Amino acid sequence: RKEVEQDPGPFNVPEGATVAFNCTYSNSASQSFFWYRQDCRKEPKLLMSVYSSGNEDGRFTAQLNRASQYISLLIRDSKLSDSATYLCAVNMGKKSSGDKLTFGTGTRLAVRP
Amino acid sequence: DAGVIQSPRHEVTEMGQEVTLRCKPISGHNSLFWYRQTMMRGLELLIYFNNNVPIDDSGMPEDRFSAKMPNASFSTLKIQPSEPRDSAVYFCASSFLPSGRVEDEQYFGPGTRLTVT
């Protein structure tokens, strides 16, 4: 089993739709969780961190489910400009992995007019 | 402020040649990460440095790969000899990691697209 797994998609949705991505992780000791966004032929950029209590930033909501070992990203009222690949990243815990992040392979989102 | 700077942006080379990728992290950042991204394997960490010291190189594929960080503002990733399977996008990222705490954001450079023929 991979340490961090994502559905590669693509998710094809119309503008205005709500779309959700999940990301599962294998190590129950994982401590920190993030969503990155990567546009085609560009570098990944941090979209948001994921906190235990869940967090929201505008149209984006991230949640963490420790019992089931997954994180989720919800995008409401999707825009054409949301089309990108969304990567989840997990720090497995300082003792086991130091400061490094393990990334999923990404979920591709395509928003159509 | 300048972000992470990588050079070259594109590199095409023949199998067997030496390839050197360069990275200048964001000023003030104390950790530097080298990643490789391919369609098949996604984004993989190769090695990371903290305060110029290599901390974890378990992701380095084999002895053909080596990385150095001679000072806080410069790092290189070298592949010698290169092979076609090394073709990928290589990203450098930097962050500030206070002692004893996992910091949040890694800032990625634009990447070097390497093609080995």
Side-chain angles (χ1 to χ4, degrees):
Chain A
R1 181 184 173 187
K2 289 183 180 178
E3 291 181 301
V4 180
E5 289 197 81
Q6 294 182 252
D7 180 344
F11 284 60
N12 290 299
V13 302
E15 271 187 292
T18 295
V19 61
F21 310 134
N22 280 346
C23 168
T24 59
Y25 58 94
S26 61
N27 189 336
S28 59
S30 298
Q31 295 183 344
S32 305
F33 309 88
F34 311 93
W35 283 103
Y36 278 74
R37 170 189 169 133
Q38 186 173 23
D39 292 301
C40 187
R41 302 181 79 84
K42 298 286 189 180
E43 70 272 22
K45 293 184 179 179
L46 182 68
L47 178 65
M48 57 197 305
S49 304
V50 187
Y51 303 122
S52 296
S53 56
N55 46 302
E56 188 174 309
D57 183 2
R59 297 181 295 108
F60 298 83
T61 301
Q63 292 198 316
L64 167 64
N65 186 316
R66 284 195 182 273
S68 301
Q69 293 182 206
Y70 73 86
I71 61 173
S72 63
L73 178 67
L74 182 78
I75 306 176
R76 290 181 299 278
D77 188 23
S78 52
K79 313 289 185 191
L80 295 175
S81 57
D82 295 333
S83 297
T85 296
Y86 292 84
L87 304 167
C88 65
V90 178
N91 174 274
M92 299 292 181
K94 200 163 180 71
K95 286 186 178 178
S96 61
S97 67
D99 299 309
K100 67 182 185 184
L101 294 178
T102 300
F103 283 82
T105 51
T107 298
R108 194 153 61 90
L109 172 65
V111 181
R112 63 181 187 272
Chain B
D1 289 339
V4 176
I5 298 172
Q6 290 187 248
S7 65
R9 295 292 304 275
H10 300 272
E11 176 81 29
V12 181
T13 191
E14 291 184 347
M15 177 177 167
Q17 297 298 305
E18 177 178 298
V19 174
T20 299
L21 311 181
R22 296 173 177 80
C23 176
K24 177 178 168 56
I26 293 173
S27 177
H29 282 187
N30 65 350
S31 290
L32 183 141
F33 306 79
W34 281 102
Y35 291 91
R36 176 173 67 178
Q37 188 174 39
T38 61
M39 288 291 292
M40 291 297 294
R41 300 173 68 89
L43 193 63
E44 301 174 285
L45 178 68
L46 301 177
I47 185 171
Y48 84 94
F49 297 83
N50 184 247
N51 293 323
N52 311 337
V53 176
I55 303 300
D56 186 341
D57 65 354
S58 59
M60 295 285 262
E62 49 199 90
D63 291 345
R64 297 185 298 107
F65 285 68
S66 62
K68 293 182 180 179
M69 191 164 187
N71 57 61
S73 59
F74 184 65
S75 177
T76 59
L77 177 68
K78 187 175 294 187
I79 308 173
Q80 166 63 20
S82 57
E83 297 182 2
R85 61 192 167 120
D86 300 331
S87 298
V89 180
Y90 290 81
F91 289 105
C92 174
S94 72
S95 67
F96 177 66
L97 293 169
S99 175
R101 197 162 64 86
V102 177
E103 188 49 86
D104 288 352
E105 183 166 6
Q106 293 185 14
Y107 295 81
F108 283 75
T112 295
R113 187 170 295 274
L114 174 65
T115 302
V116 183
T117 61

